[in-house]
């Protein structure tokens, strides 16, 4: 692997005698890891675990994930192991038993957002943001597949969050960076790297941090991370932020067996992941607390709030209420023809987000209402809150599941005129509509698998199911 000369010189200074091991590690294949969705898979696979998370596992090699229906069902997420250390940062510094408002500022494609959603209580709210619209769409897709009903996906610039001062209890800023930690598996990251780009990234990261700082509550937690090793984008930025604002660095407990290296600059602590010390890619994380005490919420002012979110009509609510388990936990909303549900405990806060930001997706999109006809939406099929008992369900084999995911015609026994929930290994994949002897495929066309299927499916394809 050809590395930039100035990068090599810096890393030799940074690592000293360990540089040779570091360089050797970069020549090895990158580890492959996944994180389970325990709301969909209660069974742990027979695989080596990622030590700093309860739900991460290593695979022996990188398979063809695209052709595993369980991935499309939201049963797991393919995520780099080092970045799963976010779980330790949250568990060790945040009280997860209380309702929280959390922002994942740079959320796409969705690894950290779905991870955070798995850690939060049902009464908490996660705002998963992405500034680039096309990537925000991908983020919304992965959040939908994961199935958490208390997530809002937004498409905003960091400066827009200044419209929500002192709003978030926790912020996660996985900042755009020079990508040094991805050199092993990303040729483009090596080709685009330069010392000048490192400086530009550091400046951009500072702007991002200052843009969102106002939206963090006094006493709130900010978790900052990059996939790079240089000090300028990491410890120096944390020290700079502490100089600009009143912030305190927080320490995390480490198990020596993990191989994570603690660092410190001007009192600001950080945690570094090197490929010769951990089974993962390059990563940096730091946690700081905004000084101060948040003001207590005042209820009962007597003023009636004007909401942007529009309640669904009682008739529409009655038609779809039994489609969800525990429907009374939700506020039912309608936007155009779409009826959706959002946990009642976060409704007021979600409404504030809608008033100040551009929301791409929120809660659970349950149904589309056209006159007297109701069409169940894909997000409902993938939600753990789906009440399967009110729908006809059909189990698909591997070939039928993949043909459904390719949005091809599939055939099932029976006839009638009703919606059918299609499943693979007991997990919903989506909807089809039985019309007489014909079955119409309602898998979202923008999500369909475009890859051709191999001739011998069972022999050639990976499925997480083989490890369960």
């Amino acid at each position: 692997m050809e590395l930039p000369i100035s990068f090599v010189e810096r890393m030799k200074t940074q690592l000293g005698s360990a540089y040779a091991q570091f360089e050797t590690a970069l020549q090895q294949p990158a580890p492959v890891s996944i994180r389970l969705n325990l709301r969909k898979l209660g069974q742990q696979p027979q695989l080596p675990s990622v030590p700093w998370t309860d739900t991460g596992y290593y695979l022996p090699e990188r398979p063809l994930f695209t052709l595993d229906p369980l991935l499309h069902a939201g049963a797991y997420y393919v995520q780099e192991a080092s970045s799963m250390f976010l779980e330790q940062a949250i568990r060790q510094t945040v009280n997860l038993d209380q309702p929280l408002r959390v922002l994942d500022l740079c959320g796409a494609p969705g690894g950290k957002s779905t991870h955070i959603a798995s850690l939060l209580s049902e009464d908490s709210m996660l705002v998963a943001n992405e500034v680039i619209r096309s990537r925000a769409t991908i983020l919304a897709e992965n959040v939908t597949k994961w199935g958490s009903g208390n997530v809002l996906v937004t498409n905003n610039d960091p400066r827009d969050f200044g419209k929500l001062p002192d709003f978030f209890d926790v912020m996660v800023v996985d900042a755009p960076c020079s990508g040094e930690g991805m050199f092993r598996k990303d040729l483009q990251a090596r080709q685009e790297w330069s010392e000048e780009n490192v400086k530009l990234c550091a400046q951009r990261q500072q702007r991002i941090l200052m843009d969102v700082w106002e939206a963090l509550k006094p006493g709130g937690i900010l978790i900052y991370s990059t996939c790079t090793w240089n000090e300028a984008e990491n410890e120096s930025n944390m020290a700079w932020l502490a100089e600009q604002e009143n912030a305190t660095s927080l320490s995390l407990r480490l198990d020596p067996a993990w191989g994570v290296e603690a660092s410190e600059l001007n009192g600001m602590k950080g945690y570094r992941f090197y490929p010769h010390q951990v089974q993962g890619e390059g990563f940096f994380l730091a946690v700081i607390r905004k000084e101060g005490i948040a003001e207590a919420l005042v209820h009962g002012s007597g003023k009636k709030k004007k909401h942007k979110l529009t309640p669904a009509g009682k008739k529409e609510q009655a038609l779809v209420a039994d489609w969800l388990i525990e429907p009374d936990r939700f506020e039912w909303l309608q936007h155009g023809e779409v009826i959706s549900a959002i946990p009642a405990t976060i409704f007021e806060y979600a409404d504030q987000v809608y008033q100040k930001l551009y929301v791409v997706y929120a809660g659970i999109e349950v149904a589309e209402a056209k006159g007297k006809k109701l069409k169940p939406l894909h997000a409902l099929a993938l939600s753990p809150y789906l009440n399967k008992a009110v729908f006809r369900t059909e189990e698909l084999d591997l070939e039928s599941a993949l043909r459904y995911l390719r949005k091809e015609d599939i055939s099932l026994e029976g006839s009638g005129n009703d919606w059918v929930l299609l499943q693979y290994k007991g997990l919903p994949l989506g909807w089809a509509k039985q019309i007489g002897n014909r079955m119409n495929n309602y898998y979202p066309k923008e999500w369909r698998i475009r890859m051709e299927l191999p001739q011998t499916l069972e022999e050639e394809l990976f499925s997480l199911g083989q490890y369960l």
Side-chain angles (χ1 to χ4, degrees):
M1 180 187 295
E2 187 174 344
L3 297 170
I5 294 174
S6 59
F7 169 79
V8 171
E9 291 173 349
R10 172 165 55 76
M11 293 306 292
K12 284 182 176 179
T13 301
Q14 195 165 311
L15 294 173
S17 59
Y19 178 79
Q21 294 173 275
F22 168 79
E23 188 175 44
T24 299
L26 289 183
Q27 315 302 322
Q28 306 305 313
V32 181
S33 49
I34 61 172
R35 183 173 42 76
L36 300 192
N37 186 345
L38 293 186
R39 296 202 65 178
K40 298 191 176 187
L41 279 180
Q43 192 176 353
Q44 295 191 347
Q46 300 301 307
L47 290 165
S49 61
V50 177
W52 41 81
T53 174
D54 292 341
T55 54
Y57 296 88
Y58 293 105
L59 295 177
E61 59 185 0
R62 189 171 190 88
L64 195 58
F65 285 113
T66 302
L67 299 184
D68 182 9
L70 292 180
L71 176 68
H72 301 276
Y76 65 95
Y77 192 97
V78 183
Q79 185 177 1
E80 203 284 305
S82 298
S83 67
M84 297 183 201
F85 187 69
L86 173 65
E87 181 169 325
Q88 291 298 318
I90 292 176
R91 287 191 184 279
Q92 293 189 35
T93 63
V94 178
N95 180 2
L96 290 170
D97 293 329
Q98 66 181 7
L100 298 167
R101 284 173 273 170
V102 181
L103 170 65
D104 183 10
L105 182 68
C106 312
K112 290 184 178 64
S113 291
T114 53
H115 197 172
I116 296 166
S118 294
L119 298 173
L120 297 179
S121 69
E122 292 182 342
D123 293 333
S124 296
M125 178 179 73
L126 170 64
V127 176
N129 180 71
E130 173 56 45
V131 65
I132 301 171
R133 183 55 193 268
S134 59
R135 286 170 57 81
T137 301
I138 295 169
L139 174 60
E141 176 183 338
N142 286 321
V143 165
T144 302
K145 287 177 178 177
W146 202 250
S148 302
N150 55 349
V151 181
L152 281 69
V153 178
T154 58
N155 174 213
N156 285 83
D157 189 272
R159 64 175 175 269
D160 295 335
F161 288 87
K163 301 171 187 175
L164 292 168
D166 299 345
F167 187 78
F168 293 100
D169 301 285
V170 182
M171 284 183 180
V172 175
V173 179
D174 185 41
C177 68
S178 59
E180 296 170 1
M182 296 293 108
F183 277 3
R184 174 159 57 178
K185 62 180 185 180
D186 190 344
L187 175 61
Q188 187 175 356
R190 299 198 299 273
Q191 293 174 335
E192 293 179 353
W193 186 92
S194 69
E195 292 288 357
E196 183 61 29
N197 191 38
V198 168
K199 293 177 184 177
L200 290 173
C201 286
Q203 292 169 1
R204 179 170 58 177
Q205 291 151 0
Q206 290 178 4
R207 179 187 72 81
I208 289 171
L209 289 167
M210 291 303 291
D211 280 346
V212 298
W213 185 255
E214 187 180 0
L216 183 64
K217 281 182 179 179
I221 299 297
L222 186 143
I223 301 169
Y224 175 82
S225 63
T226 69
C227 55
T228 199
W229 292 300
N230 70 75
E231 194 175 87
E233 296 181 69
N234 295 326
E235 292 92 345
S236 292
N237 268 346
M238 292 294 93
W240 173 86
L241 181 60
E243 289 177 4
Q244 305 300 312
E245 303 290 345
N246 197 5
T248 303
S249 180
L250 299 184
S251 299
L252 301 178
R253 299 181 301 278
L254 300 177
D255 184 330
W258 293 349
V260 179
E261 184 174 300
S263 66
E264 186 171 341
L265 176 68
N266 297 338
M268 303 306 290
K269 301 173 180 65
Y271 301 91
R272 291 169 164 268
F273 289 66
Y274 292 106
H276 63 291
Q277 294 176 334
V278 304
Q279 194 176 350
E281 298 305 275
F283 186 65
F284 170 86
L285 182 142
V287 187
I288 62 174
R289 181 175 60 231
K290 187 176 186 177
E291 288 302 304
I293 301 173
E295 293 183 9
L297 294 174
V298 178
H299 297 285
S301 63
K303 292 183 179 179
K304 191 173 182 180
K305 292 184 179 179
K306 186 177 180 180
H307 293 118
K308 187 167 184 179
L309 294 174
T310 306
K314 291 184 178 180
K315 182 176 69 174
E316 286 76 14
Q317 289 186 43
L319 290 171
V320 298
D322 66 345
W323 290 9
L324 291 184
I325 299 169
E326 299 181 278
D328 292 341
R329 290 189 61 251
F330 297 90
E331 293 283 348
W332 293 86
L333 311 171
Q334 185 158 359
H335 182 73
E337 297 176 336
V338 175
I339 300 171
S340 60
I342 197 164
T345 50
I346 69 169
F347 172 78
E348 292 290 344
Y349 300 129
D351 191 75
Q352 291 180 53
V353 173
Y354 264 90
Q355 292 192 35
K356 302 297 184 181
L357 303 174
Y358 180 71
V359 179
V360 177
Y361 179 85
I364 308 165
E365 291 188 347
V366 175
E368 184 179 284
K370 290 189 176 181
K372 295 181 179 181
K373 294 183 178 180
L374 285 175
K375 179 178 82 172
L377 293 178
H378 194 70
L380 173 67
L382 298 181
S383 171
Y385 297 101
L386 167 68
N387 183 8
K388 290 185 184 181
V390 300
F391 295 100
R392 173 187 161 194
T393 60
E394 293 285 349
E395 185 75 13
L396 301 179
D397 60 18
L398 178 60
E399 181 176 358
S400 296
L402 289 173
R403 295 200 182 284
Y404 171 73
L405 294 169
R406 280 173 52 81
K407 207 168 171 58
E408 295 178 359
D409 292 334
I410 58 171
S411 58
L412 298 172
E413 293 183 2
S415 61
N417 185 19
D418 54 0
W419 290 98
V420 183
L421 180 68
L422 301 180
Q423 301 189 141
Y424 177 74
K425 294 188 180 297
L427 289 182
L429 294 177
W431 302 103
K433 181 73 180 292
Q434 179 100 44
I435 303 176
N437 296 322
R438 191 175 78 250
M439 188 70 69
N440 288 349
N441 187 332
Y442 274 83
Y443 193 74
K445 63 180 180 180
E446 62 274 15
W447 293 9
R448 70 189 185 280
I449 295 175
R450 293 172 173 81
M451 186 179 295
E452 292 296 325
L453 303 182
Q455 294 297 317
T456 52
L457 290 174
E458 297 288 354
E459 295 178 8
E460 296 185 30
L461 295 188
F462 161 85
S463 175
L464 179 63
Q466 70 195 72
Y467 296 102
L468 296 175

